Amino acid sequence: MKKVMVFGSNGQLGKTIQDFINKDDFDFRFFSRSEVDITDKNSLKSAFNELGFDYCVNCAAYTNVEEAEKNIEEAFLINAEGVKNIAEVCSDRQVKLIHVSTDYVFDGEKRKPYSTFDSTNPINQYGKSKLKGELYIQELLKNYYIIRTSWLYSLYGKNFLKTIISKIENDITLNVTTQEEGTPTSCADLAMFILHIITVDDLPYGIYNFSANGSTTWFGFAQEIVRNHDTKKLDKILPTKSFKTFAKRPEYSVLELKDTEKYYGVLNSWKKSIKTIIEHYKN
Ligand SMILES: NC(=O)c1ccc[n+]([C@@H]2O[C@H](COP(=O)([O-])OP(=O)(O)OC[C@H]3O[C@@H](n4cnc5c(N)ncnc54)[C@H](OP(=O)(O)O)[C@@H]3O)[C@@H](O)[C@H]2O)c1
């Protein structure tokens, strides 16, 4: 039975993974931030005191893109130095690392889906800090999976899907930007891919893209949420171009999925995954 540790277990991805594990197939240990702070190497090492881990899944990150512009040091401390700590300990203890990264390592200028071979050029502090984390892993480890994903949503925490549902339930009209194109990704789909990597245990190491299939704008994403949740409220979602944010965001960050699908099969369309999660939401 594979023994797996997970950091950042109280985040939306960490919680979703907990929903999907079958305790007969895996031996999982989940560590929230209060149990293991990845920026504190001693705290991190203590999690490895229990021997025999096959995989470490890192879901811990500084994920507030807006705040990262102001709290640059903290974003880098967690997304770069914290990840370096994990990579060092994984290397010492020969534990394979599955680390989650982001479409925001790209600048969005390509306007065609980004493959894992395309040059990175992050345009905000969050993206820069996540890229630095990726580079540490590549420098320190051979046995790693870096999964770049985009626009995550789930039933947990604070995310776009939950925000839109809560606003329309309160009859609030929303202006949503049409300026960025990307792909909403369900944490449930990503959790299944992570479990697949652990189960098959022989996927080639390296960088993988993971999102749903297809692309849309945040406006299209919001419309699809409302269409599934309460179609009568579709008129509450209005398109806007001028949506001011503190952090610059890539205007295009669709990920090329061919290589991932070669190993994993065809990925769900973004609309199908939204439908699935909203059905859960309603039950
Ligand atoms: N959300 C997205 O749209 C998106 C898009 C692309 C990629 N990603 C990547 O996907 C991964 C999962 O994201 P998510 O949406 O699940 O994030 P999330 O919900 O914000 O969860 C991140 C978790 O990391 C924990 N954490 C923060 N600093 C830590 C530290 N120093 N030590 C240990 N834990 C720490 C947080 O704890 P507290 O809650 O206590 O702060 C939180 O539980 C991240 O690597 C993120 O960069 C996310």
Side-chain angles (χ1 to χ4, degrees):
M1 193 186 286
K2 294 279 173 319
K3 194 163 162 181
V4 185
M5 63 205 315
V6 178
F7 297 124
S9 66
N10 270 347
Q12 58 167 340
L13 179 60
K15 284 193 169 158
T16 308
I17 293 174
Q18 294 174 65
D19 286 344
F20 280 89
I21 52 167
N22 180 340
K23 294 198 170 69
D24 296 334
D25 295 341
F26 305 104
D27 183 7
F28 264 84
R29 302 282 184 281
F30 289 94
F31 299 95
S32 67
R33 185 182 197 157
S34 59
E35 288 159 328
V36 171
D37 182 333
I38 64 167
T39 66
D40 173 353
K41 206 155 175 196
N42 288 330
S43 146
L44 190 62
K45 276 185 173 164
S46 69
F48 286 79
N49 281 346
E50 194 183 317
L51 298 178
F53 284 107
D54 299 291
Y55 283 88
C56 168
V57 180
N58 181 34
C59 302
Y62 185 104
T63 56
N64 190 324
V65 178
E66 287 294 283
E67 293 290 317
E69 295 300 304
K70 291 175 247 160
N71 301 329
I72 301 174
E73 236 173 78
E74 194 185 350
F76 275 80
L77 181 66
I78 298 169
N79 292 344
E81 303 311 313
V83 173
K84 181 181 182 206
N85 288 340
I86 295 176
E88 282 173 349
V89 186
C90 282
S91 167
D92 279 355
R93 309 287 168 98
Q94 309 216 317
V95 174
K96 297 166 201 167
L97 175 61
I98 301 177
H99 172 73
V100 184
S101 191
T102 172
D103 54 337
Y104 280 15
V105 296
F106 297 113
D107 59 19
E109 295 298 322
K110 188 180 170 202
R111 308 280 160 174
K112 277 203 258 159
Y114 282 98
S115 87
T116 54
F117 300 105
D118 282 318
S119 307
T120 52
N121 183 30
I123 55 174
N124 58 38
Q125 297 300 336
Y126 167 74
K128 286 178 186 172
S129 65
K130 291 291 290 183
L131 178 61
K132 196 162 179 197
E134 286 191 9
L135 295 173
Y136 277 138
I137 292 172
Q138 293 172 70
E139 186 188 312
L140 293 163
L141 273 177
K142 282 201 182 66
N143 302 351
Y144 67 82
Y145 299 94
I146 292 172
I147 305 174
R148 290 185 182 144
T149 190
S150 60
W151 298 20
L152 284 183
Y153 62 88
S154 70
L155 299 174
Y156 302 112
K158 220 178 135 220
N159 63 67
F160 187 78
L161 178 132
K162 287 184 66 183
T163 304
I164 296 292
I165 289 178
S166 130
K167 300 272 185 200
I168 60 152
E169 281 181 347
N170 289 298
D171 261 341
I172 297 169
T173 299
L174 289 166
N175 294 305
V176 189
T177 183
T178 55
Q179 219 163 18
E180 291 162 46
E181 182 174 351
T183 311
T185 304
S186 165
C187 282
D189 291 346
L190 177 54
M192 297 295 281
F193 179 57
I194 290 172
L195 293 180
H196 175 79
I197 292 176
I198 297 167
T199 306
V200 300
D201 201 27
D202 68 354
L203 239 58
Y205 296 117
I207 301 179
Y208 287 78
N209 286 341
F210 189 92
S211 70
N213 253 309
S215 67
T216 186
T217 62
W218 290 101
F219 170 68
F221 185 10
Q223 275 194 314
E224 198 59 25
I225 294 164
V226 177
R227 193 172 286 123
N228 281 279
H229 188 71
D230 185 355
T231 199
K232 295 188 297 300
K233 303 241 172 118
L234 258 180
D235 61 347
K236 298 269 166 221
I237 306 293
L238 303 176
T240 178
K241 262 202 153 152
S242 56
F243 191 77
K244 278 270 160 283
T245 55
F246 205 61
K248 276 204 233 163
R249 286 155 194 264
E251 288 193 2
Y252 183 94
S253 63
V254 180
L255 299 170
E256 166 65 63
L257 300 172
K258 242 183 9 234
D259 290 340
T260 303
E261 290 188 323
K262 191 168 84 193
Y263 293 108
Y264 187 55
V266 178
L267 293 161
N268 288 334
S269 76
W270 65 273
K271 288 188 179 180
K272 181 175 177 204
S273 294
I274 289 174
K275 189 170 190 291
T276 307
I277 206 146
I278 290 184
E279 275 162 11
H280 273 276
Y281 205 93
K282 285 179 173 170
N283 292 328

